[in-house]
PDB file of all heavy atoms in Angstrom:
ATOM      1  N   PRO A 934      18.903 -29.123 -13.423  1.00  0.00           N
ATOM      2  CA  PRO A 934      19.337 -27.966 -12.615  1.00  0.00           C
ATOM      3  C   PRO A 934      18.266 -27.602 -11.583  1.00  0.00           C
ATOM      4  O   PRO A 934      17.091 -27.908 -11.771  1.00  0.00           O
ATOM      5  CB  PRO A 934      19.474 -26.839 -13.642  1.00  0.00           C
ATOM      6  CG  PRO A 934      19.413 -27.487 -14.984  1.00  0.00           C
ATOM      7  CD  PRO A 934      18.703 -28.780 -14.833  1.00  0.00           C
ATOM      8  N   ILE A 935      18.720 -26.925 -10.541  1.00  0.00           N
ATOM      9  CA  ILE A 935      17.800 -26.415  -9.513  1.00  0.00           C
ATOM     10  C   ILE A 935      17.894 -24.892  -9.571  1.00  0.00           C
ATOM     11  O   ILE A 935      18.997 -24.344  -9.629  1.00  0.00           O
ATOM     12  CB  ILE A 935      18.238 -26.877  -8.098  1.00  0.00           C
ATOM     13  CG1 ILE A 935      18.241 -28.407  -7.994  1.00  0.00           C
ATOM     14  CG2 ILE A 935      17.389 -26.228  -7.030  1.00  0.00           C
ATOM     15  CD1 ILE A 935      16.936 -29.042  -7.690  1.00  0.00           C
ATOM     16  N   GLU A 936      16.755 -24.219  -9.526  1.00  0.00           N
ATOM     17  CA  GLU A 936      16.765 -22.747  -9.507  1.00  0.00           C
ATOM     18  C   GLU A 936      15.926 -22.230  -8.345  1.00  0.00           C
ATOM     19  O   GLU A 936      14.878 -22.789  -8.032  1.00  0.00           O
ATOM     20  CB  GLU A 936      16.175 -22.174 -10.807  1.00  0.00           C
ATOM     21  CG  GLU A 936      17.171 -22.091 -11.922  1.00  0.00           C
ATOM     22  CD  GLU A 936      16.597 -21.417 -13.172  1.00  0.00           C
ATOM     23  OE1 GLU A 936      15.682 -20.567 -13.029  1.00  0.00           O
ATOM     24  OE2 GLU A 936      17.064 -21.746 -14.265  1.00  0.00           O
ATOM     25  N   VAL A 937      16.405 -21.129  -7.771  1.00  0.00           N
ATOM     26  CA  VAL A 937      15.602 -20.386  -6.799  1.00  0.00           C
ATOM     27  C   VAL A 937      15.186 -19.071  -7.450  1.00  0.00           C
ATOM     28  O   VAL A 937      16.028 -18.330  -7.954  1.00  0.00           O
ATOM     29  CB  VAL A 937      16.388 -20.091  -5.499  1.00  0.00           C
ATOM     30  CG1 VAL A 937      15.478 -19.417  -4.473  1.00  0.00           C
ATOM     31  CG2 VAL A 937      16.983 -21.365  -4.927  1.00  0.00           C
ATOM     32  N   ALA A 938      13.886 -18.810  -7.437  1.00  0.00           N
ATOM     33  CA  ALA A 938      13.361 -17.602  -8.085  1.00  0.00           C
ATOM     34  C   ALA A 938      12.871 -16.607  -7.034  1.00  0.00           C
ATOM     35  O   ALA A 938      12.292 -16.995  -6.016  1.00  0.00           O
ATOM     36  CB  ALA A 938      12.199 -17.965  -9.009  1.00  0.00           C
ATOM     37  N   VAL A 939      13.139 -15.323  -7.298  1.00  0.00           N
ATOM     38  CA  VAL A 939      12.504 -14.236  -6.540  1.00  0.00           C
ATOM     39  C   VAL A 939      11.603 -13.510  -7.523  1.00  0.00           C
ATOM     40  O   VAL A 939      12.090 -12.915  -8.494  1.00  0.00           O
ATOM     41  CB  VAL A 939      13.548 -13.257  -5.972  1.00  0.00           C
ATOM     42  CG1 VAL A 939      12.847 -12.084  -5.275  1.00  0.00           C
ATOM     43  CG2 VAL A 939      14.486 -13.956  -5.007  1.00  0.00           C
ATOM     44  N   TRP A 940      10.302 -13.582  -7.301  1.00  0.00           N
ATOM     45  CA  TRP A 940       9.346 -12.926  -8.206  1.00  0.00           C
ATOM     46  C   TRP A 940       9.099 -11.503  -7.728  1.00  0.00           C
ATOM     47  O   TRP A 940       8.880 -11.259  -6.532  1.00  0.00           O
ATOM     48  CB  TRP A 940       8.034 -13.719  -8.252  1.00  0.00           C
ATOM     49  CG  TRP A 940       8.223 -15.152  -8.658  1.00  0.00           C
ATOM     50  CD1 TRP A 940       8.132 -16.249  -7.845  1.00  0.00           C
ATOM     51  CD2 TRP A 940       8.547 -15.655  -9.964  1.00  0.00           C
ATOM     52  NE1 TRP A 940       8.383 -17.407  -8.561  1.00  0.00           N
ATOM     53  CE2 TRP A 940       8.638 -17.065  -9.868  1.00  0.00           C
ATOM     54  CE3 TRP A 940       8.777 -15.053 -11.199  1.00  0.00           C
ATOM     55  CZ2 TRP A 940       8.946 -17.879 -10.960  1.00  0.00           C
ATOM     56  CZ3 TRP A 940       9.078 -15.873 -12.294  1.00  0.00           C
ATOM     57  CH2 TRP A 940       9.154 -17.259 -12.171  1.00  0.00           C
ATOM     58  N   THR A 941       9.131 -10.561  -8.653  1.00  0.00           N
ATOM     59  CA  THR A 941       8.949  -9.135  -8.330  1.00  0.00           C
ATOM     60  C   THR A 941       7.488  -8.832  -7.987  1.00  0.00           C
ATOM     61  O   THR A 941       6.573  -9.359  -8.626  1.00  0.00           O
ATOM     62  CB  THR A 941       9.372  -8.290  -9.554  1.00  0.00           C
ATOM     63  OG1 THR A 941      10.771  -8.480  -9.783  1.00  0.00           O
ATOM     64  CG2 THR A 941       9.091  -6.803  -9.334  1.00  0.00           C
ATOM     65  N   ASN A 942       7.288  -7.952  -7.013  1.00  0.00           N
ATOM     66  CA  ASN A 942       5.955  -7.399  -6.710  1.00  0.00           C
ATOM     67  C   ASN A 942       4.858  -8.462  -6.657  1.00  0.00           C
ATOM     68  O   ASN A 942       3.877  -8.384  -7.377  1.00  0.00           O
ATOM     69  CB  ASN A 942       5.571  -6.316  -7.738  1.00  0.00           C
ATOM     70  CG  ASN A 942       4.256  -5.620  -7.371  1.00  0.00           C
ATOM     71  OD1 ASN A 942       3.979  -5.379  -6.200  1.00  0.00           O
ATOM     72  ND2 ASN A 942       3.444  -5.305  -8.360  1.00  0.00           N
ATOM     73  N   GLU A 943       5.044  -9.435  -5.776  1.00  0.00           N
ATOM     74  CA  GLU A 943       3.961 -10.410  -5.573  1.00  0.00           C
ATOM     75  C   GLU A 943       2.800  -9.765  -4.861  1.00  0.00           C
ATOM     76  O   GLU A 943       1.641 -10.078  -5.104  1.00  0.00           O
ATOM     77  CB  GLU A 943       4.482 -11.606  -4.759  1.00  0.00           C
ATOM     78  CG  GLU A 943       3.480 -12.751  -4.655  1.00  0.00           C
ATOM     79  CD  GLU A 943       2.473 -12.625  -3.529  1.00  0.00           C
ATOM     80  OE1 GLU A 943       2.633 -11.756  -2.651  1.00  0.00           O
ATOM     81  OE2 GLU A 943       1.501 -13.399  -3.508  1.00  0.00           O
ATOM     82  N   GLU A 944       3.120  -8.853  -3.919  1.00  0.00           N
ATOM     83  CA  GLU A 944       2.064  -8.383  -3.013  1.00  0.00           C
ATOM     84  C   GLU A 944       1.033  -7.488  -3.705  1.00  0.00           C
ATOM     85  O   GLU A 944      -0.116  -7.450  -3.306  1.00  0.00           O
ATOM     86  CB  GLU A 944       2.677  -7.641  -1.820  1.00  0.00           C
ATOM     87  CG  GLU A 944       3.499  -8.525  -0.875  1.00  0.00           C
ATOM     88  CD  GLU A 944       2.647  -9.469  -0.042  1.00  0.00           C
ATOM     89  OE1 GLU A 944       1.423  -9.560  -0.280  1.00  0.00           O
ATOM     90  OE2 GLU A 944       3.226 -10.139   0.828  1.00  0.00           O
ATOM     91  N   GLY A 945       1.451  -6.727  -4.684  1.00  0.00           N
ATOM     92  CA  GLY A 945       0.492  -5.812  -5.301  1.00  0.00           C
ATOM     93  C   GLY A 945       0.096  -4.672  -4.390  1.00  0.00           C
ATOM     94  O   GLY A 945      -0.902  -3.993  -4.631  1.00  0.00           O
ATOM     95  N   ALA A 946       0.882  -4.461  -3.323  1.00  0.00           N
ATOM     96  CA  ALA A 946       0.525  -3.420  -2.343  1.00  0.00           C
ATOM     97  C   ALA A 946       0.930  -2.039  -2.855  1.00  0.00           C
ATOM     98  O   ALA A 946       0.160  -1.090  -2.785  1.00  0.00           O
ATOM     99  CB  ALA A 946       1.208  -3.711  -1.009  1.00  0.00           C
ATOM    100  N   ARG A 947       2.153  -1.943  -3.402  1.00  0.00           N
ATOM    101  CA  ARG A 947       2.603  -0.657  -3.937  1.00  0.00           C
ATOM    102  C   ARG A 947       2.148  -0.463  -5.387  1.00  0.00           C
ATOM    103  O   ARG A 947       1.748   0.636  -5.762  1.00  0.00           O
ATOM    104  CB  ARG A 947       4.139  -0.570  -3.842  1.00  0.00           C
ATOM    105  CG  ARG A 947       4.676   0.743  -4.353  1.00  0.00           C
ATOM    106  CD  ARG A 947       6.182   0.870  -4.193  1.00  0.00           C
ATOM    107  NE  ARG A 947       6.630   2.136  -4.745  1.00  0.00           N
ATOM    108  CZ  ARG A 947       7.878   2.404  -5.104  1.00  0.00           C
ATOM    109  NH1 ARG A 947       8.812   1.497  -4.933  1.00  0.00           N
ATOM    110  NH2 ARG A 947       8.194   3.576  -5.598  1.00  0.00           N
ATOM    111  N   PHE A 948       2.232  -1.517  -6.176  1.00  0.00           N
ATOM    112  CA  PHE A 948       1.808  -1.476  -7.586  1.00  0.00           C
ATOM    113  C   PHE A 948       0.754  -2.556  -7.786  1.00  0.00           C
ATOM    114  O   PHE A 948       1.053  -3.739  -7.634  1.00  0.00           O
ATOM    115  CB  PHE A 948       2.986  -1.758  -8.523  1.00  0.00           C
ATOM    116  CG  PHE A 948       4.147  -0.809  -8.370  1.00  0.00           C
ATOM    117  CD1 PHE A 948       5.245  -1.150  -7.583  1.00  0.00           C
ATOM    118  CD2 PHE A 948       4.148   0.422  -9.018  1.00  0.00           C
ATOM    119  CE1 PHE A 948       6.325  -0.284  -7.447  1.00  0.00           C
ATOM    120  CE2 PHE A 948       5.225   1.293  -8.884  1.00  0.00           C
ATOM    121  CZ  PHE A 948       6.308   0.943  -8.087  1.00  0.00           C
ATOM    122  N   ALA A 949      -0.489  -2.172  -8.091  1.00  0.00           N
ATOM    123  CA  ALA A 949      -1.541  -3.160  -8.337  1.00  0.00           C
ATOM    124  C   ALA A 949      -1.485  -3.608  -9.788  1.00  0.00           C
ATOM    125  O   ALA A 949      -1.106  -2.813 -10.658  1.00  0.00           O
ATOM    126  CB  ALA A 949      -2.906  -2.554  -8.021  1.00  0.00           C
ATOM    127  N   PRO A 950      -1.911  -4.843 -10.116  1.00  0.00           N
ATOM    128  CA  PRO A 950      -2.359  -5.864  -9.165  1.00  0.00           C
ATOM    129  C   PRO A 950      -1.195  -6.680  -8.616  1.00  0.00           C
ATOM    130  O   PRO A 950      -0.033  -6.295  -8.801  1.00  0.00           O
ATOM    131  CB  PRO A 950      -3.278  -6.738 -10.024  1.00  0.00           C
ATOM    132  CG  PRO A 950      -2.687  -6.654 -11.399  1.00  0.00           C
ATOM    133  CD  PRO A 950      -2.087  -5.270 -11.510  1.00  0.00           C
ATOM    134  N   ALA A 951      -1.531  -7.785  -7.958  1.00  0.00           N
ATOM    135  CA  ALA A 951      -0.539  -8.668  -7.338  1.00  0.00           C
ATOM    136  C   ALA A 951      -0.008  -9.679  -8.363  1.00  0.00           C
ATOM    137  O   ALA A 951      -0.579  -9.852  -9.432  1.00  0.00           O
ATOM    138  CB  ALA A 951      -1.170  -9.406  -6.164  1.00  0.00           C
ATOM    139  N   MET A 952       1.092 -10.337  -8.009  1.00  0.00           N
ATOM    140  CA  MET A 952       1.633 -11.482  -8.763  1.00  0.00           C
ATOM    141  C   MET A 952       1.930 -11.137 -10.224  1.00  0.00           C
ATOM    142  O   MET A 952       1.823 -11.975 -11.120  1.00  0.00           O
ATOM    143  CB  MET A 952       0.618 -12.649  -8.718  1.00  0.00           C
ATOM    144  CG  MET A 952       0.396 -13.220  -7.327  1.00  0.00           C
ATOM    145  SD  MET A 952      -1.318 -13.612  -6.895  1.00  0.00           S
ATOM    146  CE  MET A 952      -1.826 -14.685  -8.212  1.00  0.00           C
ATOM    147  N   VAL A 953       2.281  -9.868 -10.493  1.00  0.00           N
ATOM    148  CA  VAL A 953       2.412  -9.420 -11.884  1.00  0.00           C
ATOM    149  C   VAL A 953       3.625  -9.996 -12.599  1.00  0.00           C
ATOM    150  O   VAL A 953       3.581 -10.222 -13.814  1.00  0.00           O
ATOM    151  CB  VAL A 953       2.501  -7.881 -11.993  1.00  0.00           C
ATOM    152  CG1 VAL A 953       1.148  -7.255 -11.881  1.00  0.00           C
ATOM    153  CG2 VAL A 953       3.513  -7.300 -11.041  1.00  0.00           C
ATOM    154  N   ALA A 954       4.715 -10.201 -11.863  1.00  0.00           N
ATOM    155  CA  ALA A 954       5.944 -10.594 -12.546  1.00  0.00           C
ATOM    156  C   ALA A 954       5.950 -12.089 -12.854  1.00  0.00           C
ATOM    157  O   ALA A 954       6.441 -12.500 -13.909  1.00  0.00           O
ATOM    158  CB  ALA A 954       7.162 -10.211 -11.710  1.00  0.00           C
ATOM    159  N   SER A 955       5.372 -12.889 -11.948  1.00  0.00           N
ATOM    160  CA  SER A 955       5.176 -14.300 -12.292  1.00  0.00           C
ATOM    161  C   SER A 955       4.135 -14.393 -13.401  1.00  0.00           C
ATOM    162  O   SER A 955       4.240 -15.240 -14.298  1.00  0.00           O
ATOM    163  CB  SER A 955       4.757 -15.099 -11.062  1.00  0.00           C
ATOM    164  OG  SER A 955       3.678 -14.479 -10.388  1.00  0.00           O
ATOM    165  N   GLY A 956       3.129 -13.509 -13.359  1.00  0.00           N
ATOM    166  CA  GLY A 956       2.122 -13.483 -14.423  1.00  0.00           C
ATOM    167  C   GLY A 956       2.743 -13.136 -15.765  1.00  0.00           C
ATOM    168  O   GLY A 956       2.419 -13.728 -16.794  1.00  0.00           O
ATOM    169  N   ALA A 957       3.666 -12.164 -15.761  1.00  0.00           N
ATOM    170  CA  ALA A 957       4.347 -11.808 -17.013  1.00  0.00           C
ATOM    171  C   ALA A 957       5.220 -12.966 -17.491  1.00  0.00           C
ATOM    172  O   ALA A 957       5.280 -13.267 -18.686  1.00  0.00           O
ATOM    173  CB  ALA A 957       5.189 -10.548 -16.805  1.00  0.00           C
ATOM    174  N   PHE A 958       5.877 -13.638 -16.549  1.00  0.00           N
ATOM    175  CA  PHE A 958       6.711 -14.801 -16.901  1.00  0.00           C
ATOM    176  C   PHE A 958       5.859 -15.857 -17.602  1.00  0.00           C
ATOM    177  O   PHE A 958       6.298 -16.501 -18.547  1.00  0.00           O
ATOM    178  CB  PHE A 958       7.349 -15.390 -15.639  1.00  0.00           C
ATOM    179  CG  PHE A 958       8.327 -16.505 -15.895  1.00  0.00           C
ATOM    180  CD1 PHE A 958       9.687 -16.240 -15.981  1.00  0.00           C
ATOM    181  CD2 PHE A 958       7.888 -17.816 -16.054  1.00  0.00           C
ATOM    182  CE1 PHE A 958      10.599 -17.266 -16.227  1.00  0.00           C
ATOM    183  CE2 PHE A 958       8.786 -18.848 -16.304  1.00  0.00           C
ATOM    184  CZ  PHE A 958      10.144 -18.569 -16.386  1.00  0.00           C
ATOM    185  N   ALA A 959       4.615 -16.002 -17.129  1.00  0.00           N
ATOM    186  CA  ALA A 959       3.709 -17.020 -17.681  1.00  0.00           C
ATOM    187  C   ALA A 959       2.976 -16.514 -18.926  1.00  0.00           C
ATOM    188  O   ALA A 959       2.136 -17.226 -19.477  1.00  0.00           O
ATOM    189  CB  ALA A 959       2.711 -17.456 -16.611  1.00  0.00           C
ATOM    190  N   GLY A 960       3.244 -15.273 -19.325  1.00  0.00           N
ATOM    191  CA  GLY A 960       2.614 -14.741 -20.534  1.00  0.00           C
ATOM    192  C   GLY A 960       1.205 -14.220 -20.321  1.00  0.00           C
ATOM    193  O   GLY A 960       0.494 -13.915 -21.276  1.00  0.00           O
ATOM    194  N   VAL A 961       0.800 -14.090 -19.057  1.00  0.00           N
ATOM    195  CA  VAL A 961      -0.555 -13.604 -18.768  1.00  0.00           C
ATOM    196  C   VAL A 961      -0.616 -12.084 -18.905  1.00  0.00           C
ATOM    197  O   VAL A 961      -1.631 -11.530 -19.330  1.00  0.00           O
ATOM    198  CB  VAL A 961      -0.981 -14.035 -17.340  1.00  0.00           C
ATOM    199  CG1 VAL A 961      -2.364 -13.498 -16.996  1.00  0.00           C
ATOM    200  CG2 VAL A 961      -0.941 -15.552 -17.205  1.00  0.00           C
ATOM    201  N   PHE A 962       0.460 -11.407 -18.518  1.00  0.00           N
ATOM    202  CA  PHE A 962       0.525  -9.947 -18.613  1.00  0.00           C
ATOM    203  C   PHE A 962       1.613  -9.548 -19.603  1.00  0.00           C
ATOM    204  O   PHE A 962       2.655 -10.204 -19.694  1.00  0.00           O
ATOM    205  CB  PHE A 962       0.880  -9.312 -17.257  1.00  0.00           C
ATOM    206  CG  PHE A 962      -0.095  -9.591 -16.163  1.00  0.00           C
ATOM    207  CD1 PHE A 962       0.305 -10.266 -15.015  1.00  0.00           C
ATOM    208  CD2 PHE A 962      -1.421  -9.177 -16.255  1.00  0.00           C
ATOM    209  CE1 PHE A 962      -0.593 -10.520 -13.990  1.00  0.00           C
ATOM    210  CE2 PHE A 962      -2.323  -9.426 -15.248  1.00  0.00           C
ATOM    211  CZ  PHE A 962      -1.917 -10.097 -14.111  1.00  0.00           C
ATOM    212  N   ASP A 963       1.377  -8.429 -20.277  1.00  0.00           N
ATOM    213  CA  ASP A 963       2.387  -7.848 -21.151  1.00  0.00           C
ATOM    214  C   ASP A 963       3.448  -7.147 -20.287  1.00  0.00           C
ATOM    215  O   ASP A 963       3.108  -6.362 -19.391  1.00  0.00           O
ATOM    216  CB  ASP A 963       1.700  -6.841 -22.087  1.00  0.00           C
ATOM    217  CG  ASP A 963       2.713  -6.042 -22.875  1.00  0.00           C
ATOM    218  OD1 ASP A 963       3.457  -6.661 -23.648  1.00  0.00           O
ATOM    219  OD2 ASP A 963       2.773  -4.808 -22.694  1.00  0.00           O
ATOM    220  N   VAL A 964       4.715  -7.438 -20.558  1.00  0.00           N
ATOM    221  CA  VAL A 964       5.805  -6.937 -19.717  1.00  0.00           C
ATOM    222  C   VAL A 964       5.804  -5.409 -19.655  1.00  0.00           C
ATOM    223  O   VAL A 964       5.885  -4.806 -18.571  1.00  0.00           O
ATOM    224  CB  VAL A 964       7.171  -7.450 -20.239  1.00  0.00           C
ATOM    225  CG1 VAL A 964       8.320  -6.814 -19.461  1.00  0.00           C
ATOM    226  CG2 VAL A 964       7.242  -8.967 -20.156  1.00  0.00           C
ATOM    227  N   ASP A 965       5.696  -4.758 -20.808  1.00  0.00           N
ATOM    228  CA  ASP A 965       5.787  -3.294 -20.822  1.00  0.00           C
ATOM    229  C   ASP A 965       4.617  -2.652 -20.087  1.00  0.00           C
ATOM    230  O   ASP A 965       4.785  -1.636 -19.407  1.00  0.00           O
ATOM    231  CB  ASP A 965       5.893  -2.787 -22.256  1.00  0.00           C
ATOM    232  CG  ASP A 965       7.228  -3.198 -22.867  1.00  0.00           C
ATOM    233  OD1 ASP A 965       8.266  -2.906 -22.249  1.00  0.00           O
ATOM    234  OD2 ASP A 965       7.229  -3.843 -23.925  1.00  0.00           O
ATOM    235  N   THR A 966       3.441  -3.267 -20.193  1.00  0.00           N
ATOM    236  CA  THR A 966       2.283  -2.734 -19.470  1.00  0.00           C
ATOM    237  C   THR A 966       2.509  -2.837 -17.965  1.00  0.00           C
ATOM    238  O   THR A 966       2.229  -1.898 -17.214  1.00  0.00           O
ATOM    239  CB  THR A 966       1.005  -3.520 -19.873  1.00  0.00           C
ATOM    240  OG1 THR A 966       0.918  -3.537 -21.291  1.00  0.00           O
ATOM    241  CG2 THR A 966      -0.245  -2.891 -19.282  1.00  0.00           C
ATOM    242  N   VAL A 967       3.024  -3.974 -17.531  1.00  0.00           N
ATOM    243  CA  VAL A 967       3.286  -4.164 -16.097  1.00  0.00           C
ATOM    244  C   VAL A 967       4.314  -3.143 -15.605  1.00  0.00           C
ATOM    245  O   VAL A 967       4.163  -2.564 -14.515  1.00  0.00           O
ATOM    246  CB  VAL A 967       3.760  -5.607 -15.813  1.00  0.00           C
ATOM    247  CG1 VAL A 967       4.324  -5.729 -14.406  1.00  0.00           C
ATOM    248  CG2 VAL A 967       2.619  -6.596 -16.015  1.00  0.00           C
TER     249      VAL A 967
END
Side-chain angles (χ1 to χ4, degrees):
I935 299 276
E936 276 185 28
V937 185
V939 176
W940 303 107
T941 296
N942 186 37
E943 188 275 349
E944 293 288 8
R947 181 177 178 200
F948 302 97
M952 295 138 55
V953 281
S955 50
F958 185 95
V961 178
F962 299 119
D963 171 62
V964 174
D965 292 307
T966 308
V967 167

